Amino acid sequence: AMKQAAEHAARLGTRTMLILNPGGGGYGDMRRIAEAVGISVAVLEAPPDKSLGAPASVEQGGLKAMARWLESGASLPDLIFFPDDYVASGGLTALLDRGVSIPRDVQVISWANRNLGPIFPLPLTRIENDPVETGKRLAGIVVDALKKPHKKVRKAIAIGPRFIVGETTARR
């Protein structure tokens, strides 16, 4: 899904990407993949606000980091990637609060857990994970293995997020 997102961005003419990192290094694959398709990547650290509990701490960290970055006068990249749905909520709030138009001023791709976020006026272009479906599929594999422990051939299945094009990336 990350490869599809990076290729989509490159097809749209994206040359620069900012990744808002909430910590934990979850952005590394996207950075490597985006750079492989010719997109220059910068990372903005957005540590969680330790005075709050989860998930508000991550949202607040995203909001504070994006607000500070916007106040610095730095030029907007072509695209911002949020590798976490909670950091996206905070970062998107900061962008909207300062009048940044998405996708006219900057395009956005977010991580999103299905049915959990983030909320935005336009359908987000996103890498969407469905933890409930993934759990069901994994449970089915385990049950099958327990019922037939000597079965040598197991059907391969793909488990993971999918890329969905919304309205937060420009369609050129």
Side-chain angles (χ1 to χ4, degrees), residues 101-171:
S101 176
I102 300 167
R104 189 182 61 220
D105 297 333
V106 65
Q107 300 176 86
V108 168
I109 297 177
S110 177
W111 178 269
N113 281 313
R114 185 157 197 237
N115 296 325
L116 291 177
I119 302 300
F120 194 71
L122 299 172
L124 284 162
T125 299
R126 63 200 179 278
I127 297 171
E128 186 177 88
N129 183 48
D130 187 339
V132 173
E133 183 61 29
T134 299
K136 285 180 186 176
R137 294 179 84 185
L138 285 172
I141 291 168
V142 170
V143 167
D144 183 51
L146 291 171
K147 285 182 178 178
K148 304 171 191 170
H150 301 293
K151 184 178 175 183
K152 297 289 182 200
V153 178
R154 290 192 166 74
K155 185 170 81 173
I157 63 168
I159 296 176
R162 63 190 183 118
F163 178 62
I164 300 170
V165 177
E167 295 178 22
T168 58
T169 51
R171 298 184 183 189

Side-chain angles (χ1 to χ4, degrees), residues 47-72:
D49 182 330
K50 296 193 191 269
S51 70
L52 302 170
S57 61
V58 179
E59 290 180 30
Q60 189 69 9
L63 185 138
K64 287 178 177 180
M66 184 58 68
R68 276 192 307 272
W69 186 81
L70 290 167
E71 290 164 6
S72 78

Side-chain angles (χ1 to χ4, degrees), residues 35-110:
E35 288 174 342
V37 296
I39 298 172
S40 174
V41 178
V43 176
L44 175 62
E45 297 298 329
D49 182 330
K50 296 193 191 269
S51 70
L52 302 170
S57 61
V58 179
E59 290 180 30
Q60 189 69 9
L63 185 138
K64 287 178 177 180
M66 184 58 68
R68 276 192 307 272
W69 186 81
L70 290 167
E71 290 164 6
S72 78
S75 297
L76 287 170
D78 296 325
L79 185 139
I80 299 173
F81 175 66
F82 299 108
D84 175 90
D85 42 6
Y86 296 117
V87 81
S89 182
L92 289 166
T93 299
L95 289 165
L96 292 177
D97 183 54
R98 277 133 187 102
V100 176
S101 176
I102 300 167
R104 189 182 61 220
D105 297 333
V106 65
Q107 300 176 86
V108 168
I109 297 177
S110 177

